[in-house]
Amino acid sequence: MPTDPVYDPVSPESHENPYPAYERLRDEFPLYYVEAHDVWALSRYADVKQGLRDWDLFSSAQGVELGTYVQFFGPGSIQELDPPHHDVLRKVLAPRFLNRRIKEYEGMVRSSARELIREFQGETEVDLARQFTQKLPILTIFRILGIPESDIPWTMQTGLEMLNRPPGESGPSPRAHELRSELVDYMVDQVQGRRGGDYPDDVFGDIAQAIDAGIMQVHEIQGLTLLLIAAGMETTTSLMGTIVHSLATGQVRREELRDIHGDLPAGAIDEFLRFDAPAQWLSRVTTRETEIHGVTLPVGSRVLMIFASANRDPREFDNADRLILTRDGSRNLAFGEGVHFCLGMPLARLEARAGMAELISAMPDFGLAGQPHRYPSHVIRGYENLLVTVRAS
Ligand code: HEM
């Protein structure tokens, strides 16, 4: 074992650029013990994929983050439940998030994108992270949940502040806990107000119906709704930020980001996800003793599944450190694998395909104006600001 830590998931170095450490992990320490946090890390594609598939050995029931972020969302968060109860609650949400049903929201996603673009159109300098990529996913998920328009500004601000994670911190602040309680009270009121039949066509309505049918309990509203907000907001924001950044720096040309309908091609979206996974890693806890790479892990070991490292594994992808928009990167693990595979994938893809197409056609040319900063998070890799100068077309 090396004397200096090879990798620390919450260090400033990992926040800045974790990829050199991932390469060392994959090549030299495919199962690595991070002493500072008492966690193990899996970094190769085959190991992460296999681990995620084996939910019985690698359990989510003791939370999937680190430190006191574990189980922050509370009861009902399907991400932190194992089957069979996981499957029962996932089915409450699943029908609305199917690809076929999500396509019905395309008009809403496009008009939400245009609504945001109108607010800055005509300006010569725009922060596309704060004014677009951070707002579109929240607006979209809140509209699908059923949050009344008048409450969207407050819920948006509260949600964003609650999820703020300073680098080096492995736990939420007292303020984050306060905001969490405020949001939970609000969501519970929204669901309770929809109970008793005649359910509206929104997620709160779906949950109200499931409670009335005895499928889920009132105390599970908190975890299920907070998870949807967190999972729907930060990750998609981060994907779109990476795309905007690549355009603003000239790393990709806008012609590469248009299919025959003028939308972002699915393959390009896959490649951005592979290249810089929005959720870098999540963890599991072993339910029995197991041996990996010659090391015996005791029961109760927390193991990080580093999606972002798996996606750069040269054992799986040729030229893994290069962004190649024409490659087939669809087997990347950015949306996870197995029973917890991302429920929101069709929505995330819709937002990236249609929302970004709206932005690109409204802003024919822009370049980076200043150094962008990344989100103060150790799990989510995305941009907090992306100031651009708009060039005349
Ligand atoms: C680019 C955008 C997104 C990425 C990269 C992403 C990534 C992920 C990953 C890696 C997981 C697996 C978690 C685990 O194994 O523990 C997951 C689960 C989940 N995602 Fe996403 N996500 C995205 C967008 C969304 C959106 C837009 C929504 C919803 C509205 C959403 C809702 C969920 C939910 C509810 C789960 C938990 C599923 C379960 O435990 O059964 N995600 N996501």
Side-chain angles (χ1 to χ4, degrees):
M1 274 283 163
T3 43
D4 287 341
V6 172
Y7 169 66
D8 177 340
V10 309
S11 69
E13 293 76 30
S14 293
H15 185 257
E16 178 64 29
N17 177 13
Y19 290 102
Y22 293 161
E23 185 179 352
R24 262 196 90 190
L25 291 182
R26 285 190 307 263
D27 290 349
E28 298 173 48
F29 310 98
L31 178 70
Y32 178 73
Y33 182 60
V34 189
E35 204 176 334
H37 307 285
D38 188 21
V39 288
W40 298 83
L42 281 177
S43 47
R44 288 190 185 164
Y45 182 91
D47 293 337
V48 174
K49 187 167 185 164
Q50 171 61 26
L52 291 171
R53 282 185 173 178
D54 194 349
W55 61 264
D56 195 32
L57 171 60
F58 292 102
S59 165
S60 296
Q62 293 179 55
V64 295
E65 281 236 15
L66 273 189
T68 45
Y69 275 117
V70 161
Q71 293 174 327
F72 177 65
F73 298 134
S77 162
I78 52 172
Q79 208 177 357
E80 298 174 317
L81 283 171
D82 290 335
H85 195 49
H86 161 272
D87 303 358
V88 172
L89 293 190
R90 183 166 166 130
K91 277 193 195 122
V92 173
L93 300 175
R96 187 172 294 278
F97 286 89
L98 290 172
N99 200 24
R100 177 171 49 79
R101 291 282 304 279
I102 282 297
K103 281 203 173 121
E104 294 167 16
Y105 290 108
E106 178 157 349
M108 181 273 280
V109 170
R110 286 191 187 270
S111 67
S112 299
R114 288 197 290 264
E115 185 183 321
L116 294 172
I117 293 165
R118 266 197 303 277
E119 284 176 22
F120 55 77
Q121 200 135 40
E123 289 173 22
T124 47
E125 269 202 351
V126 186
D127 185 339
L128 284 180
R130 289 193 200 280
Q131 290 178 260
F132 191 77
T133 63
Q134 284 164 18
K135 287 188 175 172
L136 183 64
I138 314 175
L139 257 185
T140 306
I141 191 65
F142 282 180
R143 286 178 172 154
I144 296 175
L145 277 169
I147 291 182
E149 288 297 312
S150 54
D151 293 341
I152 282 187
W154 173 81
T155 41
M156 225 152 121
Q157 198 187 334
T158 311
L160 276 172
E161 203 182 329
M162 176 188 78
L163 294 167
N164 217 6
R165 300 171 222 214
E169 299 277 322
S170 60
S173 64
R175 178 79 183 133
H177 278 285
E178 248 172 60
L179 296 167
R180 179 193 175 286
S181 309
E182 286 175 27
L183 264 183
V184 164
D185 290 347
Y186 177 85
M187 305 290 173
V188 172
D189 279 354
Q190 289 291 323
V191 173
Q192 294 288 53
R194 283 164 171 77
R195 291 186 59 190
D198 217 5
Y199 306 101
D201 184 13
D202 55 34
V203 175
F204 290 141
D206 299 342
I207 296 177
Q209 195 170 0
I211 294 172
D212 285 346
I215 295 169
M216 65 177 275
Q217 310 292 316
V218 171
H219 74 274
E220 293 175 318
I221 298 171
Q222 52 177 304
L224 202 57
T225 51
L226 283 180
L227 170 66
L228 269 185
I229 294 173
M233 263 166 55
E234 298 177 300
T235 46
T236 321
T237 289
S238 148
L239 167 64
M240 295 199 306
T242 304
I243 299 173
V244 166
H245 183 263
S246 73
L247 274 172
T249 53
Q251 186 185 9
V252 303
R253 290 172 292 113
R254 58 191 50 237
E255 303 78 72
E256 296 177 86
L257 297 186
R258 292 177 85 92
D259 65 12
I260 48 167
H261 309 290
D263 287 349
L264 239 71
I269 296 174
D270 281 332
E271 178 62 354
F272 279 112
L273 286 164
R274 185 198 68 80
F275 188 72
D276 216 358
Q280 292 276 296
W281 49 261
L282 286 170
S283 71
R284 300 289 192 261
V285 172
T286 53
T287 55
R288 51 180 194 273
E289 193 179 278
T290 185
E291 196 189 304
I292 308 175
H293 292 293
V295 177
T296 303
L297 289 188
V299 59
S301 304
R302 189 168 285 280
V303 182
L304 295 187
M305 303 285 175
I306 312 181
F307 313 119
S309 170
N311 287 349
R312 294 280 193 105
D313 189 345
R315 294 159 195 79
E316 186 63 25
F317 299 102
D318 292 337
N319 295 312
D321 283 329
R322 280 186 55 209
L323 180 79
I324 304 174
L325 295 181
T326 50
R327 82 159 86 221
D328 176 11
S330 56
R331 62 195 184 287
N332 79 76
L333 298 179
F335 287 118
E337 175 77 22
V339 294
H340 293 283
F341 184 82
C342 179
L343 178 90
M345 182 187 77
L347 177 60
R349 286 187 178 285
L350 169 64
E351 289 174 42
R353 172 174 67 74
M356 287 302 301
E358 292 293 332
L359 181 76
I360 292 171
S361 70
M363 294 182 69
D365 197 10
F366 54 83
L368 212 54
Q371 185 63 29
H373 292 115
R374 288 194 175 272
Y375 260 133
S377 163
H378 51 261
V379 182
I380 302 295
R381 188 165 164 82
Y383 290 100
E384 180 155 52
N385 57 45
L386 277 169
L387 193 65
V388 302
T389 309
V390 183
R391 302 187 192 111
S393 48

